[in-house]
Amino acid sequence: MSDTTTRYAESLLAAARAEGNADQVVGELFEFGRVLETNDQLREALSDPSTPIVNRMQAVDDLLAGQASRVTSSLIAMVVGVGRGGQLGEIIRATVELNAASRDQRVAYVRSAIDLDADQQQRLAAALRESTGDDVEVRVILDPSVLGGLVTEIGDDVIDGSVRRRLNQMRESLS
Amino acid sequence: MDLLALEFPPVSHLFEWPDIFLDGTVFGINKTVLIYFGAVAATLGLFFGAGRRYKQSLVPAGMSNVAESGVDFIEDSVIMQTMGPDGLKYLPFLTTMFFFLFFSNITEVIPGIQFPANSRMAIPLLLALLVWVIYNVVGVRSQGFFGYLKNSLFPPGVPVALYIIVTPIELVSTFVVRPFSLAIRLWANMVAGHLLLVTFAVLTATLWESTYVGAALPFAMLVLMTGFEILVSALQAFIFTILTAVYIGGSMHPEH
Amino acid sequence: MRMRTKAMMLAAAASVSVVAFAAPASASEETVGSCLAETILEFETDSGITLHELEEAAAEGDEEAKKELETLEEEFEACNESPNPILPATNEIIWGGLSFLILLGMMWKFAFPAVKNGMEARTERIRSDLAAADQAKVDAQAVQTQYEAQLADAKTEAARIVDEARQSADQVRTDLIARAEAEAAELRERANGEIEAMRVQAIADVQSEVSEIAIGAAERVVGGSLDRDAQSQLVEAYIQELTSK
């Protein structure tokens, strides 16, 4: 994570806190990051230098209108407006982790084929805390390719309990 | 002198010639003396002519052939046969002697001269005495005086008893008779030859006057005798020369 | 040549002069007749009587006349008798001796050496020419020997070159055959290797294809068979597992 990314993350988080709804904004940013991660077209459009910046900011506005808060929308437009569209994913991820870190938590990205309810999320967080020894904030990512079960990433650690992994193991043993 | 009605000149007229120059003195020059001069001129002419030729070419021709034949003849047939290589120093002397004698003999048959100078005793006697001096000097020189006497008077290989006979004979023959026999042999041969030629010439001339045909036989004899006398001229010169060589050689090498 | 002609002409002139001077010599004054005449004339002048008167007086018995006549007859005899021809004349001895001595001197000093030197020079020339010819022959033989040796060398060299060429040709042929065989072997080997690799690859491909098909089938089966409950159970099991660790 470069210094530029961290600075942008810090300023985004500070702006969100100044608006008073930091957690909501961070949640919305995370969701946008998810979309950005899965949508290659969007990612390219936002970082395409041949498209005028105004058009790119307008695209962000159009995309988020009614989907996210104005603060979230403005922040993303701001990042795109200064020409950092290509680093948007990283900046969002840094912002999420910075927000968690401000509560002494680490972010646990949990990929699942289904949505997890609050209870499941809480128990999972508790289990992760027990397993890793760190307080974690669970961010669920819906990923049908997991097929079943969960894959948790905390920093560089990966705890894979997915059906996909089992199938991969099977494939390797077959070939 | 009437012989067969022939007019034969007195013998003295055939050999004695009146002086032409310096008449009556001891230096009177007559036909004989002129022939001597001629022989000298002929010999020198032959050898100088031959010697001059060598300056142009070493290939012998003409006069040099004659001179060379003479030198070779004296060297090979006279000196080497009688004296051996030691005698080669006498080659010029013997060559000169041979040619001088030959030229003063051969005038006997040369038309217009028809007189052999050596039918006069002067040269035969002079040369014989010269030879006598030479071989005696050589003998004394090479054997010593007594050695020469001993070898001459007591020839080795003769029984001692015979020396009573041999020694007087040798004494007379070597020291007295030799030069005279040498001189007289030459002189007499030339006298006889000259008389022969004169006889046949007079006979031919006389017979020609009376009967032309009668002259044929003496004329044929004259021609024959002329050829014979050419031979005699050369032969006598050769004999005189080779006897000289024999005498000198005997003095050099008494064992022979 | 000119000098020789001169010498010959000189000799001829000498001969002619001899003949010319000799001719009047035959008309000698010293004939027998003139001797007798002179003797008689001398007697008649001295005695005052003629020879005939003396003969008559002698015939008459005059002893003195007889003696006189005898003396006169002896003188006549002397007239008839020539001087002894074996005795040399003084002038001939002088001139003959001089002539011979001069001739001998000239010959010894000049004429004879000229001829003898010429003859020796020729002998020497012939000897040196023969020696040169011999030397030339020896040289020629040496050159010939050398040429023959060079020829032999050249032949040997040619044979050697041909031999070498044959050997190298053999070598090249052998090399080519060996290389061809080696290449053939290598090609065969490589082909075998490729065939083997392809076989292995084919097997692997088949295996991977089979496993892909199987896994794909398994995925579809699993995906289809995982309902909400099963999913929840899997999540629970995950949480359980985390806790139990």
Side-chain angles (χ1 to χ4, degrees), chain B residues 46-242:
Chain B
L46 179 66
F47 275 77
F48 276 124
R52 197 176 301 281
R53 220 202 108 73
Y54 290 120
K55 286 177 181 147
Q56 294 154 11
S57 164
L58 289 178
V59 180
M63 259 196 269
S64 49
N65 252 338
V66 176
E68 278 188 27
S69 304
V71 173
D72 278 339
F73 175 73
I74 303 294
E75 183 173 339
D76 296 338
S77 303
V78 175
I79 292 178
M80 297 308 284
Q81 301 294 325
T82 59
M83 296 195 267
D86 290 351
L88 283 177
K89 59 188 168 197
Y90 296 102
L91 183 54
F93 173 67
L94 294 176
T95 306
T96 306
M97 178 184 267
F98 174 80
F99 277 100
F100 182 70
L101 289 178
F102 174 71
F103 281 128
S104 43
N105 283 345
I106 199 68
T107 47
E108 180 183 13
V109 297
I110 292 174
I113 307 176
Q114 282 158 327
F115 175 68
N118 291 329
S119 64
R120 303 293 291 160
M121 198 52 169
I123 280 296
L125 191 61
L126 271 178
L127 290 188
L129 290 175
L130 178 61
V131 169
W132 184 83
V133 169
I134 290 173
Y135 75 71
N136 282 320
V137 168
V138 168
V140 171
R141 266 198 190 166
S142 54
Q143 303 171 41
F145 182 73
F146 291 106
Y148 176 56
L149 271 187
K150 179 177 164 285
N151 280 321
S152 302
L153 301 180
F154 303 95
V158 175
V160 178
L162 281 183
Y163 282 137
I164 301 167
I165 306 167
V166 168
T167 304
I169 295 175
E170 287 291 323
L171 178 67
V172 173
S173 81
T174 304
F175 297 108
V176 181
V177 173
R178 242 186 214 182
F180 293 107
S181 76
L182 192 60
I184 288 170
R185 182 182 298 106
L186 173 60
W187 170 79
N189 266 284
M190 297 332 285
V191 166
H194 186 51
L195 282 176
L196 263 175
L197 292 181
V198 169
T199 303
F200 283 109
V202 169
L203 206 55
T204 306
T206 311
L207 287 179
W208 180 260
E209 282 174 9
S210 52
T211 60
Y212 294 113
V213 183
L217 186 65
F219 181 73
M221 282 306 288
L222 179 59
V223 172
L224 202 68
M225 282 300 131
T226 301
F228 179 67
E229 285 307 316
I230 294 173
L231 181 69
V232 168
S233 295
L235 197 64
Q236 288 306 316
F238 166 63
I239 288 171
F240 197 100
T241 308
I242 197 168

